[in-house]
């Protein structure tokens, strides 16, 4: 399996995320355990990056 790229990419739009979700629903039944673990790691990392890049409301109380 090829190594994951370390470069950061722009977060997915909601439409892109939905399209990816539908594609994953088609292929997940054919994946093996190690594929599922790699996929889970990748999705976890992507969600973390998305949280970091979302604009946060300014809090003047800080």
């Amino acid at each position: 399996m090829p190594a994951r790229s370390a470069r950061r990419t722009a977060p997915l739009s909601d439409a892109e995320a939905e399209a990816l979700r539908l594609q994953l629903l088609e292929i997940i039944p054919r994946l093996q355990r190690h594929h599922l673990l790699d996929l889970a790691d990748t999705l976890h990392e992507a969600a973390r990056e998305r949280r970091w890049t979302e604009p946060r409301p300014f809090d003047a109380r800080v």
Side-chain angles (χ1 to χ4, degrees), residues 4-51:
R4 273 186 255 144
S5 174
R7 67 184 170 95
R8 294 178 60 100
T9 58
L12 296 175
S13 69
D14 289 341
E16 291 170 324
E18 180 63 13
L20 179 59
R21 185 184 74 82
L22 293 174
Q23 291 173 1
L24 288 172
L25 288 175
E26 292 178 12
I27 64 165
I28 283 177
R30 294 180 279 174
L31 297 178
Q32 297 176 353
R33 179 174 166 73
H34 68 276
H35 294 131
L36 292 171
L37 292 173
D38 286 344
L39 177 60
D41 289 344
T42 301
L43 293 175
H44 180 76
E45 182 178 316
R48 182 182 307 135
E49 287 182 12
R50 187 172 184 164
R51 282 193 305 270

